[in-house]
Amino acid sequence: MEKIKLVVEGKELEVPKGTTLGEVFKELGIKDAVGALLEGELVDLQTPLRRGGKVKPLFRGDEEALPIMRHSLAHVMAQALKELYGPAKVRLGVGPDTEEGFFYDVEVEGRTITEEELKKIEEKMREIVKRDYPIVRKELTREEAKELFKKLGERYKLELIDEIPEGEPVSVYEQGGFVDLCKGPHLPSTGKAGAFKLTAVSGAYWKGDASGPQLTRIYGMAYWDEEKLNERLKFYEEVKRRDHRRLGKELEFFTIENEVGPGLVLWLPRGALYRKVLEDYLREEHLKRGYQLAYTPHVGRAELWKRSGHLEHYKENMFPPMQLDEEEYYVKPMNCPFHITIYKTRPRSYRELPFKLFELGTVYRYELSGVLHGLLRVRGFTQDDAHIVCTPEQVNDVIRETLEFALQVLRDFGFEEFKLYLSTRPEDAIGSDEQWELSQKALEEAVKASGYEYEVDEGGGAFYGPKIDVKVKDAIGRLWQLSTIQFDFNLPERFDMTYVGPDNKLHRPYMIHRALLGSIERFTGILLEHHAGLLPFWLSPTQVAVLPVADRHHDYARRLAELLTAEGFRAEADLSGERLGAKIRKAELTKVPVVLVVGDREQESGTVSVRTKKEGSLGSMSLEELIKYLNELQRSRR
Amino acid sequence: MEKIKLVVEGKELEVPKGTTLGEVFKELGIKDAVGALLEGELVDLQTPLRRGGKVKPLFRGDEEALPIMRHSLAHVMAQALKELYGPAKVRLGVGPDTEEGFFYDVEVEGRTITEEELKKIEEKMREIVKRDYPIVRKELTREEAKELFKKLGERYKLELIDEIPEGEPVSVYEQGGFVDLCKGPHLPSTGKAGAFKLTAVSGAYWKGDASGPQLTRIYGMAYWDEEKLNERLKFYEEVKRRDHRRLGKELEFFTIENEVGPGLVLWLPRGALYRKVLEDYLREEHLKRGYQLAYTPHVGRAELWKRSGHLEHYKENMFPPMQLDEEEYYVKPMNCPFHITIYKTRPRSYRELPFKLFELGTVYRYELSGVLHGLLRVRGFTQDDAHIVCTPEQVNDVIRETLEFALQVLRDFGFEEFKLYLSTRPEDAIGSDEQWELSQKALEEAVKASGYEYEVDEGGGAFYGPKIDVKVKDAIGRLWQLSTIQFDFNLPERFDMTYVGPDNKLHRPYMIHRALLGSIERFTGILLEHHAGLLPFWLSPTQVAVLPVADRHHDYARRLAELLTAEGFRAEADLSGERLGAKIRKAELTKVPVVLVVGDREQESGTVSVRTKKEGSLGSMSLEELIKYLNELQRSRR
């Protein structure tokens, strides 16, 4: 019999090929292992060994063994479903482990599994874990397997058997009478499972095909210990609480309606007012820094997209063409060709450079409807897009200023932690060595000068130029990519962009694409989640709500709101005549940052009683104090 | 012989059918007539009469005879061309009279007629007029006519002969050997022509068919006397001087590029800055008046346009569809369905009405490329669009406020003369009597309250509701339609819009579409022409140019510009190092309203020397005086 060599915890040994690690560990007196790494690959104790190598036994609590445990819990869940709803009623799809747990796609005849049933399924799973069934692996011939799953009525499994490549073993795992087609690896027994919780149900198409049958996906989360599990569950509760789709509805910021089209955002009045404040801010900040403005159309002739190369390289991301006057037109996926056209309306002198053109440009890109997600992934969005055209001598200053600008803007929105990523020249790049060196040096110096943590992705740049990406860390530790500063050595060639140098000759300029927020839609989604809907004072659609205690305080409340409006704040008096409690709740729900309650005392003394969402009650203030306080909030962008 | 009855200057007479008015007038001793009105129809003296009636002889100087004279001048021009370039080289198309003159479409073999040649052609025309050729009418058979024009090589005329309906006479007019196929009417002789001038040449397709041969259209203007002609020529020079297409280029406001597409506007930096100021103003003015903002997508599902009725009634004005995910999407020709969708995101209470939703909404509409004209007729434009949803009780106040708002906005842009048009219920209208009465009464009252001149177009309203249009008179007396306030009884039904009334029941609201400027693009074209490019101070992209006399004044100039920028003005120091004269010319060309020249004297005394485009030199000012002056300009919107 053929032998293989193993090295287990430093000990060398030879065993017959086909021995399992369970047998080996027993021989060596290694107890309670739940799996192992064989030359770095995760394996279980039940599978006959086909090759030798270094073996590291894994035990409960080992991070590396989590996938095994999670995968076994998927089986435990499947078994629980069969016990609850009857084995003949439950048909199984696929049930893998995931980053933090597992899921199983299932079909339960005659019913839809709802969130309410998860508790019950979970209880049944705990029972099965407690029963501590050994998990047994068996290899079958294809015919045996087919016969087995046919008998079980598992039509999805039959499809999967057909997909197992010729020559690979067909294995099943059995536990307490429940058998599942599976490659493994699995725990030695159900009792070895860790802490878990079922978290959600959703629809899932069989094999992701929307025209095929729809199954129910049941999600679970699993860690070795309760503490870690609870910490992660709390994180996801927090993620849910901050979900911008819910907040966007509550705050009346935006809506996406099927009749209009998936991924197409309608900004509701409060969201639109916030967006106006944001856009005003962006335009002013750009003008201050010497940018010029542009407005360009949302459609353009195919000609333009042919020249830019988008039709060649980017067509699948574009909306389909419109046939007009025997020509094709496209809605724009990018603003670049328009900005370049503006640059080219007349010859440019080096004295005009750097030429910095800014547009809040609304673009449309095709995304599969399945990946659309609130504001975070949409089909139409507005970029805070600029193109900078400059001489080689200006590249350093331009990049440093641009990165500083990006970081300043992100800080103004309340982000404090940043991580920068520098992507450099890939294998099959265009552009000269000189261009790449000059650009990469400028990017690297700017990144270093910023003082923030950064990573270099060597060779990770686009074929047409290197870039910096800025990621922000949000209030619950998630990283989001926002700003990009991207060199482009391609479009200046394609569009034959030039400038007249001091030598009176034509030169090719450097061009940089950059967006600071990326898209207003996506940024707003992230901002809402970061602040859990409580936007900084300067960005809130309503900044101050004036709530009269009773009808007799309406005049005073209205006058206050008018006074604050005249001072430049967005203030509203609630004259609805509802009870004070209801008015306060409404202001709470729409997350108005500053609430002024005015009753007899305030009216008589000409004061206000101030409550803020962030700092709670600030007591009584005179109008002068109030205005000073509000101006300070506005100025500090808190 | 059949007789016909005529009444000439009160005198009744009978003449044989086929007699000409020339013969009749000679008989009656009426001298120097150039044509006549027969029962109100313009006729000449050469054509045999086929019917009787009241005859009014027309003489030189008679307004009503202008078309005859202009038509004859077209023939004179054709004859001049034949004499100048050789009869065999010139082929004639059509040559009618126009509102102020005439044109002829011609083909001159082997050459293109340019503006430079007009003088020469004009001289030849004066010669022919002086020769005073009698203009003789002849009727031919179709065969004779064909043979004649075949011999002359007039292939376009041959086509025209074929188009003369069976039974109509085929007539030609002959003068001094030149013969032309023509229905008339014409002067008795070339010497009766009035004052004229050739004004322009352009390309013109034969029968307007772009795939057919291209001819040259030569335009002339003609009046009876030189004075009137010169007045009108001056007016057209003024129109030319104010042409927003030329101004838009000089001021670097916008460009329309073939590669992007006809009718699609790119706003250049200076135009974009002006547009930003305009948009900021519009948003603020709307917010002040209780409007709420919206941003909506530029594309939407066919579903939406089906429901709104646009696909049924407006499809030919829409861009063609895009095929996406097996559905059709359209770029929007209007914002209404989106605004209604926003209204409908949740139930609305009467307490929220009037609900006034404002968007600077960019729409796309199909126009034939031939009618596109600068900014005045485009394919993509941004409307200052609002929809007002209100209760019947609110209709009066809403309409009055809206009209006042419109007029205030137009005054702020420097328009002073307005004419209002009220269009009322047409025959085949939808909506109840009550709706029409209430709406029309509100519109009429608002129009009367405005104090401006107005006209009622009885029955001229759209089938879905009555409206007010506001026209402005520009600086050279032209009327332009700008604001529209339009009721809509249709869409609230189609989209089932409702509000909850005080009775807690659902009611159908009134809805009003309104745009004050119409479209930003078209309005900007009109505004540029109205102000001949010299925009009011508050709208100028650069408001103040600071021009240092020499390099040693650069620091002072820069500090001044910074100071003014900090005060909220758009100020620029020209540090180009060019000579003062060149700097002044540049500021002149870009029509900067306020220019500050600073030299030794100003620098030492901390003053500025102020020149304005409108008032000329204002002499020396201290900085305090300057800022006060600029603030006054800004405040008064002059």
Side-chain angles (χ1 to χ4, degrees):
Chain A
M1 177 167 275
E2 199 181 335
K3 297 254 179 177
I4 53 176
K5 269 188 196 164
L6 297 173
V7 186
V8 184
E9 294 187 326
K11 203 175 291 173
E12 288 190 29
L13 67 161
E14 273 199 349
V15 299
K17 192 174 170 182
T19 308
T20 66
L21 279 179
E23 291 159 349
V24 174
F25 288 175
K26 196 167 173 190
E27 183 78 24
L28 294 175
I30 297 171
K31 280 184 186 163
D32 297 327
V34 295
L37 289 174
L38 171 59
E39 289 293 313
E41 193 200 347
L42 201 58
V43 294
D44 64 21
L45 309 189
Q46 300 93 312
T47 307
L49 292 166
R50 283 156 205 269
R51 60 172 180 135
K54 243 170 107 175
V55 174
K56 183 190 174 194
L58 297 174
F59 302 93
R60 296 186 88 233
D62 280 347
E63 182 91 11
E64 295 142 310
L66 277 171
I68 290 191
M69 187 266 279
R70 288 167 176 164
H71 192 173
S72 292
L73 278 171
H75 281 214
V76 169
M77 181 167 73
Q79 183 174 12
L81 290 168
K82 295 241 175 195
E83 290 192 12
L84 282 170
Y85 303 112
K89 298 269 180 191
V90 179
R91 274 182 287 279
L92 303 171
V94 292
D97 63 286
T98 62
E99 214 173 319
E100 302 211 56
F102 56 91
F103 69 76
Y104 219 122
D105 288 347
V106 301
E107 189 181 71
V108 182
E109 211 176 298
R111 69 189 297 153
T112 311
I113 305 289
T114 62
E115 301 254 353
E116 285 67 45
E117 281 161 285
L118 297 185
K119 202 83 227 146
K120 194 174 66 184
I121 301 167
E122 223 176 87
E123 271 165 31
K124 179 61 75 181
M125 287 172 68
R126 288 193 207 291
E127 238 183 271
I128 294 167
V129 169
K130 219 166 169 191
R131 290 181 211 151
D132 198 17
Y133 292 126
I135 303 178
V136 181
R137 183 179 187 280
K138 279 182 197 148
E139 287 190 14
L140 306 180
T141 66
R142 246 159 239 271
E143 290 66 38
E144 287 167 343
K146 279 195 174 182
E147 201 174 316
L148 172 63
F149 287 101
K150 202 166 182 181
K151 211 167 64 194
L152 291 171
E154 293 284 7
R155 63 189 180 92
Y156 301 112
K157 295 292 175 187
L158 287 171
E159 280 191 47
L160 294 176
I161 291 168
D162 284 337
E163 285 166 16
I164 298 171
E166 211 50 55
E168 271 192 33
V170 178
S171 58
V172 297
Y173 282 79
E174 188 272 339
Q175 61 198 39
F178 166 77
V179 64
D180 199 356
L181 178 76
C182 188
K183 261 170 73 168
H186 276 284
L187 297 172
S189 71
T190 59
K192 303 275 191 225
F196 67 91
K197 189 167 168 46
L198 300 187
T199 52
V201 288
S202 77
Y205 292 111
W206 171 238
K207 291 183 179 171
D209 174 5
S211 65
Q214 206 187 348
L215 310 182
T216 300
R217 180 168 294 177
I218 308 177
Y219 294 90
M221 192 189 270
Y223 280 95
W224 286 117
D225 58 279
E226 291 286 345
E227 201 180 332
K228 176 76 181 173
L229 175 69
N230 287 334
E231 182 198 312
R232 295 305 295 165
L233 284 170
K234 231 163 117 183
F235 173 80
Y236 280 103
E237 250 168 64
E238 194 56 28
V239 167
K240 237 188 208 166
R241 188 175 79 84
R242 289 166 182 268
D243 189 325
H244 74 281
R245 293 169 299 179
R246 193 179 50 74
L247 288 169
K249 200 177 159 74
E250 273 174 27
L251 299 178
E252 295 197 0
F253 259 46
F254 72 95
T255 185
I256 297 171
E257 301 283 335
N258 188 43
E259 200 179 28
V260 171
L264 299 171
V265 180
L266 283 80
W267 292 75
L268 302 176
R270 288 174 48 83
L273 187 52
Y274 145 85
R275 179 167 164 175
K276 176 203 173 292
V277 173
L278 179 147
E279 291 192 353
D280 286 351
Y281 162 84
L282 285 174
R283 289 206 190 89
E284 290 311 324
E285 293 297 317
H286 280 82
L287 287 171
K288 258 194 221 166
R289 287 168 176 84
Y291 283 78
Q292 304 192 81
L293 305 182
Y295 293 82
T296 65
H298 303 94
V299 301
R301 286 177 57 204
E303 192 59 27
L304 196 66
W305 308 111
K306 206 176 282 170
R307 181 152 189 196
S308 69
H310 284 101
L311 279 180
E312 200 177 329
H313 298 298
Y314 200 72
K315 196 168 180 185
E316 68 277 18
N317 298 100
M318 290 169 70
F319 269 50
M322 290 169 278
Q323 194 69 31
L324 194 75
D325 287 346
E326 282 144 45
E327 281 196 78
E328 290 192 336
Y329 281 71
Y330 285 90
V331 293
K332 66 176 168 185
M334 293 192 181
N335 304 298
C336 336
F338 295 97
H339 289 192
I340 293 169
T341 305
I342 287 175
Y343 178 84
K344 291 188 64 186
T345 45
R346 61 173 172 77
R348 302 286 175 180
S349 151
Y350 71 96
R351 286 200 204 86
E352 290 180 70
L353 306 189
F355 177 90
K356 306 191 275 188
L357 198 62
F358 173 65
E359 180 175 18
L360 290 166
T362 306
V363 297
Y364 292 86
R365 295 187 189 165
Y366 180 70
E367 300 268 7
L368 290 171
S369 65
V371 304
L372 298 174
H373 181 83
L375 294 178
L376 296 181
R377 196 99 176 245
V378 291
R379 283 181 175 168
F381 54 95
T382 301
Q383 296 181 300
D384 60 329
D385 199 9
H387 291 86
I388 303 173
V389 186
C390 66
T391 69
E393 295 74 29
Q394 293 167 334
V395 160
N396 267 303
D397 285 349
V398 159
I399 295 297
R400 208 190 47 248
E401 279 169 24
T402 307
L403 182 59
E404 277 169 15
F405 186 13
L407 295 169
Q408 185 53 52
V409 164
L410 297 178
R411 279 191 292 259
D412 283 350
F413 284 94
F415 292 102
E416 283 156 15
E417 293 188 65
F418 306 106
K419 200 167 167 192
L420 313 184
Y421 297 79
L422 174 56
S423 304
T424 64
R425 187 176 194 165
E427 285 282 324
D428 53 348
I430 62 160
S432 68
D433 290 352
E434 193 194 329
Q435 282 176 318
W436 280 94
E437 273 157 32
L438 180 70
S439 306
Q440 289 181 181
K441 199 157 149 279
L443 294 175
E444 190 158 4
E445 275 176 19
V447 159
K448 276 182 184 154
S450 78
Y452 288 102
E453 194 190 339
Y454 75 97
E455 272 180 26
V456 180
D457 181 5
E458 289 291 354
F463 74 93
Y464 51 84
K467 68 168 174 174
I468 299 173
D469 287 322
V470 180
K471 290 190 186 178
V472 299
K473 195 177 260 184
D474 76 4
I476 55 172
R478 294 173 298 181
L479 281 174
W480 301 94
Q481 206 247 288
L482 293 178
S483 316
T484 300
I485 303 169
Q486 167 80 60
F487 276 91
D488 191 329
F489 308 140
N490 183 33
L491 291 184
E493 294 292 329
R494 279 181 173 265
F495 283 91
D496 192 21
M497 294 169 76
T498 57
Y499 67 94
V500 179
D503 58 0
N504 233 351
K505 285 182 185 148
L506 288 182
H507 298 267
R508 182 78 70 218
Y510 277 69
M511 188 171 84
I512 296 137
H513 309 263
R514 47 112 288 200
L516 308 186
L517 308 182
S519 101
I520 291 182
E521 282 73 9
R522 182 167 167 278
F523 180 75
T524 299
I526 294 165
L527 195 71
L528 284 173
E529 301 212 347
H530 176 56
H531 291 293
L534 181 56
L535 293 181
F537 181 76
W538 73 279
L539 281 166
S540 294
T542 305
Q543 297 181 298
V544 184
V546 189
L547 311 186
V549 173
D551 288 2
R552 65 181 178 281
H553 311 116
H554 275 196
D555 270 357
Y556 183 54
R558 189 180 9 239
R559 283 208 314 278
L560 273 176
E562 281 167 8
L563 174 82
L564 293 175
T565 303
E567 291 285 331
F569 300 105
R570 295 181 293 281
E572 269 177 28
D574 184 339
L575 308 177
S576 63
E578 288 180 83
R579 291 154 138 268
L580 183 61
K583 292 178 194 164
I584 290 177
R585 268 194 305 282
K586 198 182 145 204
E588 292 261 317
L589 187 69
T590 53
K591 298 198 164 48
V592 180
V594 176
V595 172
L596 309 178
V597 175
V598 293
D600 289 336
R601 218 181 44 165
E602 286 76 18
Q603 185 161 332
E604 275 155 34
S605 57
T607 59
V608 293
S609 171
V610 184
R611 269 199 74 80
T612 74
K613 277 291 275 186
K614 282 189 182 158
E615 302 169 283
S617 172
L618 298 182
S620 178
M621 281 192 196
S622 72
L623 296 189
E624 294 75 45
E625 285 168 331
L626 172 68
I627 288 169
K628 202 176 145 205
Y629 173 70
L630 297 179
N631 273 320
E632 175 53 24
L633 278 183
Q634 181 80 13
R635 200 198 51 72
S636 67
R637 300 195 187 281
R638 272 189 297 139
Chain B
M1 180 169 268
E2 199 181 337
K3 297 256 181 178
I4 52 177
K5 271 188 194 161
L6 297 173
V7 187
V8 185
E9 292 185 328
K11 203 174 291 174
E12 288 191 29
L13 66 161
E14 274 199 349
V15 298
K17 193 173 171 183
T19 311
T20 65
L21 280 179
E23 290 159 351
V24 173
F25 289 173
K26 198 171 172 189
E27 183 76 23
L28 295 175
I30 296 172
K31 282 183 185 165
D32 298 327
V34 296
L37 289 174
L38 171 59
E39 289 290 313
E41 193 198 347
L42 202 58
V43 294
D44 63 22
L45 308 189
Q46 301 92 313
T47 307
L49 291 166
R50 285 160 203 265
R51 59 169 179 140
K54 243 170 107 179
V55 175
K56 182 188 173 193
L58 297 174
F59 303 93
R60 297 186 88 235
D62 279 346
E63 181 92 10
E64 292 142 311
L66 277 170
I68 290 193
M69 186 266 278
R70 289 167 176 163
H71 192 175
S72 293
L73 278 171
H75 281 213
V76 170
M77 180 166 76
Q79 184 173 12
L81 291 168
K82 295 241 176 195
E83 291 192 12
L84 282 170
Y85 304 111
K89 298 269 182 193
V90 177
R91 273 183 288 279
L92 303 170
V94 292
D97 63 288
T98 62
E99 212 173 325
E100 302 210 55
F102 56 90
F103 68 76
Y104 219 123
D105 289 346
V106 302
E107 187 180 72
V108 183
E109 210 176 298
R111 69 186 299 152
T112 311
I113 307 289
T114 62
E115 301 255 353
E116 286 67 45
E117 281 160 284
L118 296 186
K119 201 84 225 145
K120 196 173 65 184
I121 301 167
E122 222 175 85
E123 273 165 29
K124 180 59 78 186
M125 286 172 69
R126 288 191 206 292
E127 242 184 84
I128 294 167
V129 169
K130 222 169 169 187
R131 292 180 211 149
D132 197 16
Y133 292 127
I135 303 178
V136 180
R137 184 178 186 280
K138 279 182 199 153
E139 286 189 16
L140 306 180
T141 66
R142 243 156 242 269
E143 291 63 37
E144 287 167 343
K146 279 195 175 180
E147 201 174 313
L148 171 64
F149 288 101
K150 204 166 182 180
K151 211 164 64 193
L152 293 170
E154 294 284 8
R155 61 187 179 96
Y156 301 113
K157 296 291 176 189
L158 286 172
E159 280 190 45
L160 293 176
I161 292 169
D162 285 337
E163 285 167 16
I164 297 171
E166 210 51 54
E168 274 193 28
V170 178
S171 58
V172 298
Y173 281 79
E174 189 271 339
Q175 60 198 41
F178 167 77
V179 63
D180 199 356
L181 178 76
C182 189
K183 262 171 72 169
H186 276 285
L187 296 173
S189 71
T190 59
K192 302 275 192 227
F196 67 89
K197 189 166 169 47
L198 299 187
T199 52
V201 289
S202 76
Y205 293 110
W206 173 238
K207 292 184 178 170
D209 174 6
S211 66
Q214 206 187 347
L215 310 181
T216 302
R217 179 168 295 177
I218 309 178
Y219 293 89
M221 192 188 271
Y223 280 94
W224 286 116
D225 59 280
E226 292 286 344
E227 202 181 330
K228 175 76 181 174
L229 176 69
N230 287 335
E231 182 197 312
R232 295 304 295 165
L233 284 169
K234 232 164 115 183
F235 173 80
Y236 281 104
E237 251 168 62
E238 194 56 30
V239 167
K240 236 187 208 166
R241 189 176 78 82
R242 290 167 183 268
D243 190 325
H244 74 280
R245 291 168 302 178
R246 193 180 51 72
L247 287 169
K249 203 178 158 73
E250 272 174 28
L251 299 178
E252 297 199 358
F253 259 45
F254 72 95
T255 185
I256 297 173
E257 302 283 335
N258 188 42
E259 200 179 26
V260 172
L264 299 172
V265 181
L266 282 80
W267 292 75
L268 302 175
R270 287 176 47 83
L273 188 51
Y274 145 84
R275 177 168 166 174
K276 175 203 172 292
V277 173
L278 179 146
E279 291 192 351
D280 286 351
Y281 161 83
L282 285 175
R283 287 205 191 90
E284 289 311 324
E285 292 298 316
H286 279 81
L287 286 173
K288 258 193 221 165
R289 287 167 176 84
Y291 284 79
Q292 304 192 79
L293 305 181
Y295 293 82
T296 65
H298 304 94
V299 300
R301 288 176 56 204
E303 192 58 27
L304 197 63
W305 308 110
K306 204 175 285 169
R307 181 150 188 197
S308 70
H310 284 99
L311 280 180
E312 200 178 328
H313 299 298
Y314 200 75
K315 196 169 180 185
E316 69 277 18
N317 298 100
M318 291 170 70
F319 270 49
M322 293 170 275
Q323 194 66 31
L324 194 78
D325 288 346
E326 284 144 46
E327 281 196 77
E328 290 194 336
Y329 281 71
Y330 286 90
V331 294
K332 65 175 170 188
M334 294 194 181
N335 304 299
C336 335
F338 295 98
H339 288 192
I340 293 170
T341 305
I342 287 174
Y343 178 83
K344 290 187 64 185
T345 46
R346 61 173 170 78
R348 302 285 175 181
S349 152
Y350 71 97
R351 287 201 202 84
E352 289 181 71
L353 306 189
F355 177 90
K356 306 192 275 187
L357 199 62
F358 173 66
E359 180 174 17
L360 291 165
T362 306
V363 298
Y364 292 86
R365 295 187 190 167
Y366 180 69
E367 299 268 8
L368 290 171
S369 65
V371 303
L372 299 174
H373 180 83
L375 294 179
L376 296 182
R377 197 99 176 243
V378 292
R379 283 183 174 166
F381 55 95
T382 301
Q383 297 181 299
D384 61 330
D385 199 8
H387 291 86
I388 303 174
V389 185
C390 67
T391 69
E393 294 74 30
Q394 292 167 335
V395 160
N396 268 302
D397 285 349
V398 160
I399 295 296
R400 208 190 47 248
E401 278 169 23
T402 307
L403 181 59
E404 278 170 15
F405 185 14
L407 295 169
Q408 184 53 51
V409 164
L410 297 177
R411 279 191 292 261
D412 282 352
F413 285 94
F415 291 102
E416 282 156 16
E417 293 188 65
F418 306 105
K419 200 168 166 192
L420 313 185
Y421 296 79
L422 173 56
S423 305
T424 62
R425 187 177 193 167
E427 286 282 322
D428 52 349
I430 61 160
S432 67
D433 290 352
E434 191 195 329
Q435 282 177 319
W436 281 93
E437 274 157 34
L438 180 70
S439 306
Q440 289 181 181
K441 197 156 151 279
L443 294 175
E444 192 158 3
E445 274 176 19
V447 160
K448 277 183 184 154
S450 78
Y452 288 102
E453 194 190 338
Y454 75 98
E455 271 179 27
V456 179
D457 182 4
E458 291 290 353
F463 75 92
Y464 50 84
K467 68 168 173 172
I468 300 172
D469 288 321
V470 179
K471 289 191 186 176
V472 299
K473 194 176 260 184
D474 76 4
I476 56 173
R478 294 174 296 180
L479 280 175
W480 302 94
Q481 206 248 288
L482 293 178
S483 316
T484 300
I485 302 170
Q486 165 82 60
F487 276 91
D488 191 329
F489 308 140
N490 183 33
L491 292 184
E493 294 293 329
R494 279 183 173 267
F495 283 92
D496 192 20
M497 294 169 75
T498 55
Y499 67 94
V500 179
D503 58 1
N504 233 350
K505 286 182 184 147
L506 288 182
H507 298 267
R508 182 79 70 218
Y510 277 66
M511 188 171 83
I512 296 137
H513 309 264
R514 47 113 291 201
L516 308 185
L517 308 181
S519 101
I520 291 181
E521 283 73 10
R522 180 166 170 278
F523 180 76
T524 298
I526 293 165
L527 195 72
L528 285 172
E529 301 212 348
H530 176 56
H531 291 293
L534 181 55
L535 294 180
F537 181 77
W538 73 279
L539 280 165
S540 294
T542 305
Q543 298 181 296
V544 184
V546 190
L547 312 186
V549 173
D551 289 1
R552 65 182 178 282
H553 312 116
H554 275 195
D555 269 359
Y556 182 55
R558 192 184 0 243
R559 281 209 314 278
L560 273 175
E562 282 167 7
L563 175 80
L564 294 175
T565 303
E567 291 285 331
F569 300 106
R570 294 180 294 279
E572 269 177 26
D574 185 339
L575 308 177
S576 64
E578 287 180 85
R579 290 152 138 269
L580 183 60
K583 291 178 196 165
I584 290 177
R585 269 194 305 283
K586 198 182 144 203
E588 292 262 317
L589 186 69
T590 52
K591 299 199 161 48
V592 180
V594 176
V595 172
L596 309 178
V597 176
V598 294
D600 288 337
R601 218 183 43 162
E602 285 77 18
Q603 185 160 336
E604 274 154 34
S605 57
T607 59
V608 293
S609 170
V610 183
R611 268 197 74 80
T612 74
K613 276 291 274 186
K614 284 191 184 160
E615 303 170 282
S617 173
L618 298 181
S620 178
M621 282 192 197
S622 71
L623 296 189
E624 294 74 46
E625 287 168 331
L626 173 68
I627 288 169
K628 203 177 145 206
Y629 172 71
L630 297 178
N631 274 320
E632 175 53 23
L633 278 182
Q634 180 81 15
R635 201 197 51 72
S636 68
R637 303 198 185 279
R638 273 188 297 140

